[in-house]
Amino acid sequence: MNWYPWLNQPYRQIVEQHQADRGHHALLIQALPGMGDDALVWALSRWLMCQRRDGVKSCGECHGCQLMQAGNHPDWYKLEAEKGKSSLGIDAVRGVTEKLYHHAQQGGAKVVWLPDSAQLTEAAANALLKTLEEPPKNTWFFLSSREPQRLLATLRSRCFNWHLAPPDEAQSLRWLQKQTQAAQHDCISALRLSSGAPAAALALLDEKLWAQRQLLCSTLATALQQDLLSLLSVLNHDDAAARIGWLCALLIDAMKWQQGGGQFIANVDQQTLVGQIAQQLPSSALDSSLRSWMTCRDRLRHVVAVNRELLLTEQLLSWEQIFLPISGSR
């Protein structure tokens, strides 16, 4: 599992809390994709399971460390939805929590990790809540969440919230440029499109994925002059929500451009396109366009069995109506 330099400080802070007997039994980590919260939890779990700790480091040699490295420590539990399912049910939660009240098989700590707490059904969350209210001795919970506000308020209240914030852009850029040969303006764009999460930016700069984004930009530039429906072939893919996110970022940049904030745009490699959008749409049309695309993306993510092609076609036709009065007034 990759370790990232921006994890050093939060790792040390959390371990030092445990060393001072102030470690909270349930840590709710809020992190963007690409921030490495999984690596942070893994390192913390190894330290907690280590039988011969070396300050803030795990020794790497004791039986506990060896079991963790082999991925079969009997007192470390990972709770996540089964493959092909999107929710984590009450039976899985009960199956783990019942084991926590027994003596640790290795005589030390017991650790439970939920990589995506949003997968919990309401019943499962309530079952977990009972254990969090009266946790067994020397038992630690790590819950990862992209959007903690979507979790039950009662569940959040039993946890200590830890925001894993992205590093500053200069630090992220230095790290990113060591990992890729991409041009600097591409690296900056990828970082800003990833909300500053460096590993997510690196994934976005993958040759195939970056080419797909470039295709969206070039198709949009042509579609603005000709036919917006030509965007359908570019948007209608399994990662349509991500592609709509790229489109929304361009609309936001156009708003910044109109207000003289060109230095703050995310798509620094697409300034010509951003300027084109800003010139073609007044601020009110940009605002309504952005809102409608965000609603479309939300439906793609959360409406069960949605017809993606139909939804995108409807959205593009609706977006075209915003352009018609503007084109007619010229």
Side-chain angles (χ1 to χ4, degrees):
M1 188 173 293
N2 291 328
W3 183 257
Y4 305 108
W6 57 87
L7 299 177
N8 290 333
Q9 183 178 357
Y11 171 81
R12 182 175 289 273
Q13 288 177 318
I14 295 170
V15 167
E16 287 176 349
Q17 289 177 356
H18 281 276
Q19 289 176 319
D21 292 325
R22 292 186 287 106
H24 200 282
H25 71 277
L27 198 65
L28 175 57
I29 301 175
Q30 178 184 359
L32 293 166
M35 277 302 298
D37 53 309
D38 53 345
L40 178 62
V41 170
W42 179 249
L44 292 168
S45 298
R46 285 190 58 180
W47 185 84
L48 288 167
M49 293 299 195
C50 181
Q51 297 161 348
R52 296 198 304 266
R53 298 166 185 162
D54 179 16
V56 297
K57 298 180 180 179
S58 52
C59 73
E61 298 176 354
C62 69
H63 189 49
C65 284
Q66 290 176 357
L67 288 171
M68 287 296 291
Q69 290 168 359
N72 55 10
H73 199 297
D75 298 315
W76 189 81
Y77 305 95
K78 185 177 180 180
L79 264 175
E80 60 183 345
E82 295 178 7
K83 189 175 182 179
K85 295 185 178 181
S86 59
S87 60
L88 180 60
I90 189 172
D91 290 339
V93 172
R94 283 177 174 170
V96 168
T97 54
E98 287 175 1
K99 297 176 183 177
L100 299 177
Y101 290 94
H102 299 298
H103 186 69
Q105 294 188 45
Q106 293 299 309
K110 289 166 284 187
V111 175
V112 180
W113 178 38
L114 283 82
D116 185 2
S117 302
Q119 292 181 340
L120 289 166
T121 63
E122 186 173 352
N126 284 319
L128 181 62
L129 178 62
K130 294 178 182 178
T131 307
L132 293 181
E133 289 174 339
E134 298 181 16
K137 185 179 179 180
N138 205 15
T139 300
W140 312 98
F141 294 86
F142 295 104
L143 295 81
S144 292
S145 178
R146 309 302 182 207
E147 300 175 281
Q149 66 273 16
R150 291 183 177 269
L151 304 179
L152 288 178
T154 48
L155 187 64
R156 296 199 309 270
S157 68
R158 298 298 186 275
C159 301
F160 183 83
N161 295 295
W162 188 282
H163 180 217
L164 190 57
D168 66 77
E169 187 171 274
Q171 178 186 352
S172 298
L173 188 58
R174 286 194 298 270
W175 177 84
L176 196 57
Q177 289 179 318
K178 291 179 181 178
Q179 314 300 318
T180 176
Q181 298 297 316
Q184 180 170 322
H185 64 273
D186 286 345
C187 290
I188 295 173
S189 297
L191 271 172
R192 295 181 180 179
L193 288 170
S194 304
S195 301
L202 181 61
L204 177 56
L205 284 169
D206 172 79
E207 185 176 351
K208 290 183 179 179
L209 188 57
W210 194 249
Q212 290 168 2
R213 173 188 168 267
Q214 300 293 75
L215 177 61
L216 171 70
C217 292
S218 60
T219 305
L220 175 61
T222 303
L224 290 172
Q225 302 296 331
Q226 299 177 11
D227 180 14
L228 288 177
L229 274 176
S230 62
L231 278 169
L232 181 61
S233 61
V234 181
L235 291 172
N236 188 23
H237 288 263
D238 290 339
D239 62 344
R243 298 183 183 212
I244 291 175
W246 300 336
L247 177 56
C248 288
L250 288 164
L251 295 175
I252 293 171
D253 281 351
M255 292 180 179
K256 295 176 184 177
W257 193 277
Q258 289 180 346
Q259 299 301 316
Q263 69 270 35
F264 301 112
I265 66 172
N267 298 274
V268 296
D269 64 325
Q270 296 290 335
Q271 295 189 43
T272 300
L273 175 57
V274 170
Q276 180 186 351
I277 299 170
Q279 185 177 18
Q280 284 196 240
L281 287 174
S283 58
S284 58
L286 278 173
D287 181 71
S288 59
S289 297
L290 178 61
R291 290 174 186 272
S292 66
W293 277 111
M294 291 179 70
T295 299
C296 179
R297 183 177 60 173
D298 191 61
R299 288 174 179 168
L300 278 174
R301 286 175 169 174
H302 303 296
V303 176
V304 178
V306 65
N307 186 319
R308 185 178 65 212
E309 183 174 3
L310 183 61
L311 177 65
L312 289 171
T313 301
E314 181 183 13
Q315 171 62 23
L316 286 168
L317 288 172
S318 175
W319 199 28
E320 202 168 47
Q321 295 305 308
I322 296 176
F323 278 84
L324 287 178
I326 300 167
S327 301
S329 63
R330 291 173 183 168

